[in-house]
Amino acid sequence: MPVRLVDSHGHLNADRFDGDLEQVVGGARLAGVERILVPGWNVRSSERALEVVGRWDWLDAAVGVHPHDAAKVAAADWTVIEAWARDDRVVAIGETGLDSDRMFSPWPDQLDNLRRNLALALATAKPAILHCRSRVGERDAQDALVAELRAAGFDGAAARDAFGGRPPAVIHSFSGPVDYAAEVVAMGLAVSFSGLVFRRGEEASADAVRLVPAHHLLVETDAPFLSPPGAPRGRNQPEFVAITARWAAGLRGDEEGGFGDHLVTAYDATFPRPLAR
Ligand SMILES: [Zn+2]
């Protein structure tokens, strides 16, 4: 029996999986992956996420708009996303967030986009999936994100009313200083770690992964991106989440099997899965 695994963020809706999706999903299953969340980043990819998860009943979708696409989504497109967000196969809103590293959309558009995604998360009681990147060594995006979460009520009554005890948001592909990790943990958010932790400049992730409580700790690939060492550089796949899970378990001093059980429990406690199978 392989160690149990989840991939809380894998873009199987990306074009680069069109040719061999069956093999990729099958390979993940053989490697022990029991849950994969497929997030959208714009309208087309959100629709494709729904198509993909319709083919395997153990996959889940998220719909939303990424900060890179913030300036490219028309009002009518947003209405379509709002409708899809109510679908039972959709267990989260996103991915959304802020990115001051690449700044593919102007900052004011990123803020507007983040706010409407957060509002949709509260309205649907489905957690927001948050991308947050600053330039290496800087933290402006992380500080802005925390301020936006507080302004939207994610640290208080609004989130408690909508989500009960569940996390109102997931910090996806954690990047940032340790005190930022402590801040989002104190707000009750879930934190997900990807192959990014192995990159230069991301050394604080090793301390961050030790302070996230087990019931709020997730791992992910962000496939096809962010290959960890040992995975093909060209295209990451959900099965390689095992590498990041082993890293996390080692730093926490957890036995891998027990850590895997915790991952599945944390996933199910984070994402509402009314169709759970
Ligand atoms: Zn992503």
Side-chain angles (χ1 to χ4, degrees), residues 168-185:
V170 179
I171 301 295
H172 126 70
S173 195
F174 178 84
S175 170
V178 179
D179 67 288
Y180 159 67
E183 216 165 350
V184 298
V185 163

Side-chain angles (χ1 to χ4, degrees), residues 67-84:
H68 291 340
D69 287 81
K72 298 176 207 151
V73 174
D77 293 336
W78 179 250
T79 308
V80 172
I81 291 201
E82 284 182 316
W84 286 335

